[in-house]
Each structure stands twice: as C-alpha cells, then as structure tokens.
Amino acid sequence: MQERVKKLQEEAGNKTVEASAGGGMVTVVANGRQEVLSIKIDRSVVDPQDIDMLQDLVSAAVNEALRKSRDLVKDEMSRLTAGMGLPPGLL
C-alpha cells in the first residue's frame, strides 16, 4: 500500500493545474507537489500607480492554483483508497 501511495504522489507531482485571477490577467501553473511552476502577468495589469492591485491578483491566482493542486492530490488519493472502506479524511 505504501508503494502505491508513493507512486500516486509521484504521478500527482508530475501533473499540473492552472488558475487565473482578474479575468485571466494573472495566470499561475502549479504541480501536484504544491510548487508554483510559472506566473504569467498580462502587461495591461502592470500599473506602477496601482501595485496593490497586481499583488492582490498574484496572491489570488497563486492561492487558487495551490488549492487546485491540493484537490488534485486528494482526488488521486480517493481513487486509490476507494475500495478499502477507510473513513473519510484518514489519509
């Protein structure tokens, strides 16, 4: 079982998720290891007079990407343990 979990974690780590904020003005790609792989920022949102907005958009996109990454791993684990009769939240 431990080998299957380890393999699943490795496979999930190689998968990516994408999230965006501001209608696609900031896009973040993360992997199943909750690592941010890339951040793309549309030039139109870069305003030296409004850095706070850009920071908010980056934070929102990163948080959403990491949430999607956690959900990806959780879904993969659920498939692995589906037939085992384990109580929810055990893994």
Side-chain angles (χ1 to χ4, degrees), residues 13-90:
N14 293 326
K15 293 182 180 181
T16 61
V17 294
E18 182 176 294
S20 63
M25 296 298 208
V26 175
T27 302
V28 174
V29 176
N31 64 21
R33 290 182 290 274
Q34 285 80 57
E35 299 169 331
V36 173
L37 302 176
S38 68
I39 298 174
K40 295 178 185 166
I41 300 172
D42 188 284
R43 289 184 183 275
S44 67
V45 76
V46 180
D47 179 358
Q49 304 303 316
D50 195 3
I51 295 298
D52 290 338
M53 181 187 67
L54 179 57
Q55 291 170 338
D56 290 346
L57 291 174
V58 171
S59 293
V62 167
N63 287 332
E64 180 64 11
L66 294 178
R67 184 195 62 75
K68 285 183 175 186
S69 176
R70 286 188 299 272
D71 288 348
L72 170 76
V73 172
K74 182 176 146 187
D75 291 346
E76 294 289 326
M77 284 297 238
S78 292
R79 272 190 246 137
L80 176 67
T81 61
M84 299 179 68
L86 296 174
L90 185 62

